[in-house]
Amino acid sequence: MYKINENFLKLPGSYLFSTIAKKVASYSKEHPDKEIIRLGIGDVTQPLAPAIIDALHKAVDEMAHAETFHGYAPDLGYEFLRSAIAKNDYQALGCDIQADEIFVSDGAKCDSGNIQEIFDGSCRIAVCDPVYPVYVDSNVMAGRTGEYDPKTETWSDVIYMPCTKENNFTPELPKEIPDMIYLCFPNNPTGSAITTEELQKWVDYANKVGAVIIYDAAYEAYITEDNVPHSIYQCEGARTCAIELRSFSKNAGFTGVRLGATVVPKDLKCGDVMLHSLWARRHGTKYNGAPYIVQKAGEAVYSEAGKAQIKEQIAYYQKNASTILNGLKEAGYEVSGGVNSPYIWLKTPDGMSSWQFFDFLLENANVVGTPGSGFGPSGEGYFRLTAFGTYENTLAAIKRIKEL
Ligand code: PLP
């Protein structure tokens, strides 16, 4: 008789967003007349920019002719896209990253969940608390996290780095030494950012203790402040300790199109072994490449027209972010994030728990957000709103919250 991977059974409860969806569906069914505004899940609402649509159309037409048809994409991504990423996202910032250190994928969720496969089962992970759930859950599935304690909502073998009001929602260096450190800045869910000097401390620490940093830069397009780095490779020494994850979802609206990239510098080595070789082997074995038409769309993100159109889209969401941030402040809420990020993190009023506030907001303002406790114990008593709605809905939601 076969056996299952019992690590899956250790995962507590259902996935945060399915629980929210169920609650909202049940409320909607009971109150069909209510117009619900969703500022919970981090999905975008603006359509793809015209330059991207053009590129998609052209690529689709190419697929209709034998001379221009494309079959399997190269495992690691088409050269045209890898070069565009290297040039625009790295070399333009002064980072020494080459096209052959970039692996094109179908998004940062898969990469952030899969990257742990190239590390030994005994490696200890360190994560921020609260945190994007994929980092922890994918390590649970791999059997790397020990036992779950439902009381503390923590895993025995995970090193948690609380991100609280006291530390401005940026973690402190851990007391125990981890092997793998997951960092995400600008952060989901807290919306906090890290300065280059602060990030440099992490790079120095990782190089000193022999840890690898998995740096999720999915929200770098939302950075507005000068001293906030767009890539970890803006820090000296990051080539020997950091892997960076990129996504086309939040900067260019590819949530449904699917495109991402992971950077593994060739200087990143465990003894003599380049992590680049392991990830290339893993990618080649388990992945057949993002579709040609999608990679052509990705290339268009870096065209002059694409860049200008995307800048406008990001500005649209940034305007939503400041509308939420300022509106909540005026309503007397304690808020952070929203300046270098599409996420606004607010303290729930009157000592309500995160889920109590979720119900309160759904029932009284018909606004959906995300309970902070769903991202980890330090998120309890907090709530996340996102700037990815339409401007009209964002304004309406804030008006309703102010009137509560
Ligand atoms: N990383 C973080 C921190 C995210 O918040 C998200 C999506 O919400 C992702 C990765 C997923 O990105 P993608 O759509 O590229 O899979």
Side-chain angles (χ1 to χ4, degrees), residues 360-381:
F360 172 77
L361 213 58
L362 176 62
E363 284 158 24
N364 298 290
N366 305 139
V367 171
V368 180
T370 311
S373 57
F375 299 98
S378 296
E380 182 55 278

Side-chain angles (χ1 to χ4, degrees), residues 258-331:
R258 310 304 306 144
L259 192 64
T262 286
V263 182
V264 189
K266 291 187 175 169
D267 296 344
L268 181 52
K269 291 180 184 164
C270 183
D272 292 336
V273 181
M274 285 199 301
L275 298 196
H276 183 279
S277 311
L278 300 187
W279 190 239
R281 188 76 173 87
R282 193 261 168 215
H283 225 54
T285 302
K286 295 198 177 182
Y287 189 58
N288 253 341
Y292 173 72
I293 56 175
V294 173
Q295 295 197 45
K296 282 308 264 184
E299 185 189 29
V301 167
Y302 300 104
S303 65
E304 283 316 309
K307 279 186 198 165
Q309 292 160 6
I310 280 160
K311 205 171 157 192
E312 258 176 49
Q313 271 190 355
I314 293 166
Y316 177 93
Y317 294 130
Q318 281 168 331
K319 186 170 153 198
N320 287 349
S322 39
T323 304
I324 300 174
L325 188 69
N326 297 330
L328 290 176
K329 273 187 197 162
E330 284 161 22

Side-chain angles (χ1 to χ4, degrees), residues 133-296:
V134 176
Y135 313 149
V136 177
D137 289 0
S138 55
N139 279 286
V140 173
M141 293 169 182
R144 208 177 269 120
T145 55
E147 295 309 315
Y148 185 68
D149 179 350
K151 270 205 203 99
T152 56
E153 295 176 11
T154 55
W155 295 89
S156 57
D157 290 349
V158 173
I159 300 169
Y160 290 93
M161 306 182 291
C163 295
T164 59
K165 187 178 140 189
E166 285 66 39
N167 58 23
N168 214 9
F169 303 104
T170 46
E172 278 134 50
L173 295 175
K175 290 188 183 70
E176 297 167 88
I177 296 178
D179 301 298
M180 296 152 65
I181 304 167
Y182 288 84
L183 292 179
C184 169
F185 288 107
N187 187 260
N188 177 15
T190 67
S192 64
I194 195 165
T195 62
T196 311
E197 299 77 59
E198 280 174 299
L199 187 57
Q200 184 66 55
K201 282 187 208 155
W202 284 92
V203 168
D204 294 344
Y205 171 79
N207 275 323
K208 191 171 119 203
V209 301
V212 63
I213 298 176
I214 297 159
Y215 192 74
D216 189 338
Y219 297 97
E220 65 78 31
Y222 290 83
I223 293 171
T224 57
E225 293 180 318
D226 285 344
N227 60 345
V228 175
H230 288 256
S231 162
I232 195 165
Y233 303 114
Q234 287 175 270
C235 295
E236 213 161 303
R239 283 187 57 85
T240 53
C241 69
I243 290 174
E244 183 164 287
L245 313 175
R246 307 289 283 216
S247 167
F248 284 70
S249 288
K250 309 303 162 77
N251 60 335
F254 277 51
T255 52
V257 179
R258 310 304 306 144
L259 192 64
T262 286
V263 182
V264 189
K266 291 187 175 169
D267 296 344
L268 181 52
K269 291 180 184 164
C270 183
D272 292 336
V273 181
M274 285 199 301
L275 298 196
H276 183 279
S277 311
L278 300 187
W279 190 239
R281 188 76 173 87
R282 193 261 168 215
H283 225 54
T285 302
K286 295 198 177 182
Y287 189 58
N288 253 341
Y292 173 72
I293 56 175
V294 173
Q295 295 197 45
K296 282 308 264 184

